[in-house]
Amino acid sequence: MSNLIALEPVDYLVIGHVAHDLTPQGPRLGGTAAYSALTAQALDLRVGIVTASGPETSLAPLGNIPVVSIESPNSTIFENIYTEHGRIQYLRGQATRIDFNSVPDVWRRAPIIHLGPIANEMDAMLPAGFSPALLGLTPQGWMRQWDSECRVSLGEWKNVDFAMARASAVVISREDVNGDDDLIEHMAHQTRVLAVTESAAGAVLYWHGDRRRFRAPGITEVDATGAGDVFAAAFFTRLLKTRDPWEATRFATLLASYSVTRVGLEGIATPREIEECMIEVLR
């Protein structure tokens, strides 16, 4: 394991592979674990990451966030190709599977535990011994499959109903389910709170049999990578603090909108942006 220091309790634990994203400008660090952890840290939470990565991936962009990284021959590597018809994604490598036994005992009681798979790298249900106040899922990695050419497509998530029933809140994107409204409705009935991000259109929240849309502000998009992960971290954080899914969705929608104005991890919110979002939400 790398970057392992004397571990203190954390407020927000995210578990999942970091990604080694191949871009025309060169490789860069990505994945739910990276984007969500940095967002939670920006929101003044103590954050920890449990992941797996290979020697080709630098975790330096994570700064002083403590990381338990399982040794792996290589990282999970994605190549995204953007066309006028949408994104084509390839899985070029896959890191070692994450075993929940690798999670330090002191982190198993984190108030927020966020399971953020990107390539089906772990189970969807926490074992005994974990006791978060809020268990958040971003299940895109359980809903992916890839063919012999490594092209990624929508796959079957096994045990979906059982896993979602145990979650406090779930965040997906319309892209994750290929815009399947029937599947979204089914998922909404299986969990307490479901947020569905819809890119520039904002987000839709399903809670207590109600459905409400939250529009995103008109902002020029530079890079949408990681916006859903920024949304998820902001949403889970505000949901635990306020117990108000509507307010949490509004805040997360605003904060995620800022993230698309910059490239990659540079899109993590600044203190000024966080303050502006809070002012807007509390008006």
Side-chain angles (χ1 to χ4, degrees):
M1 296 183 182
S2 62
N3 282 17
L4 187 56
I5 62 175
L7 296 175
E8 299 292 336
V10 297
D11 307 308
Y12 192 111
L13 172 64
V14 57
I15 306 174
H17 284 170
V18 294
H20 189 84
D21 287 335
L22 303 179
T23 77
Q25 293 73 40
R28 63 185 193 216
L29 184 66
T32 298
Y35 282 95
S36 291
L38 287 166
T39 298
Q41 184 184 58
L43 294 169
D44 289 330
L45 299 186
R46 299 172 299 171
V47 181
I49 299 173
V50 174
T51 190
S53 61
E56 73 273 40
T57 302
S58 170
L59 301 181
L62 298 175
N64 62 355
I65 295 176
V67 179
V68 173
S69 184
I70 300 165
E71 291 185 6
S72 179
N74 56 264
S75 295
T76 293
I77 303 169
F78 281 107
E79 181 181 10
N80 296 317
I81 300 172
Y82 293 92
T83 74
E84 61 182 19
H85 303 295
R87 181 178 70 170
I88 300 173
Q89 186 174 61
Y90 293 91
L91 181 68
R92 300 302 189 189
Q94 191 172 14
T96 300
R97 187 171 176 82
I98 296 175
D99 186 331
F100 288 130
N101 290 325
S102 300
V103 179
D105 288 343
V106 71
W107 287 359
R108 298 184 186 193
R109 298 178 297 278
I112 300 174
I113 296 182
H114 174 183
L115 302 186
I118 59 174
N120 199 23
E121 65 265 32
M122 60 189 169
D123 291 337
M125 290 166 285
L126 288 174
F130 288 76
S131 55
L134 186 151
L135 174 60
L137 305 184
T138 49
Q140 61 175 343
W142 293 311
M143 298 190 290
R144 284 173 170 163
Q145 64 181 9
W146 39 93
D147 59 23
S148 59
E149 296 181 348
C150 302
R151 182 167 176 171
V152 176
S153 60
L154 177 63
E156 180 186 0
W157 177 15
K158 298 179 181 178
N159 299 320
V160 53
D161 293 350
F162 189 51
M164 292 192 67
R166 295 183 64 180
S168 306
V170 178
V171 176
I172 63 170
S173 72
R174 284 192 65 83
E175 182 185 34
D176 291 338
V177 296
N178 287 346
D180 187 334
D181 288 317
D182 290 337
L183 179 54
I184 290 172
E185 288 289 342
H186 175 78
M187 294 176 77
H189 285 92
Q190 302 307 313
T191 196
R192 297 175 180 87
V193 181
L194 176 69
V196 183
T197 61
E198 297 189 333
S199 189
V204 177
L205 184 76
Y206 297 79
W207 179 49
H208 276 186
D210 198 0
R211 176 184 183 274
R212 194 175 300 180
R213 176 175 294 281
F214 294 81
R215 299 287 182 184
I219 292 178
T220 301
E221 180 180 305
V222 174
D223 181 12
T225 305
D229 304 317
V230 171
F231 177 100
F235 178 72
F236 295 148
T237 299
R238 290 300 297 169
L239 181 59
L240 182 61
K241 186 177 181 66
T242 68
R243 302 293 180 177
D244 184 343
W246 309 126
E247 180 186 311
T249 308
R250 188 176 180 209
F251 175 75
T253 300
L254 291 171
L255 203 67
S257 296
Y258 277 113
S259 75
V260 306
T261 65
R262 298 183 292 273
V263 174
L265 293 174
E266 294 176 5
I268 300 302
T270 66
R272 179 187 61 80
E273 291 167 347
I274 293 170
E275 181 180 7
E276 288 180 357
C277 290
M278 286 305 304
I279 291 171
E280 179 67 25
V281 167
L282 297 176
R283 278 180 179 171

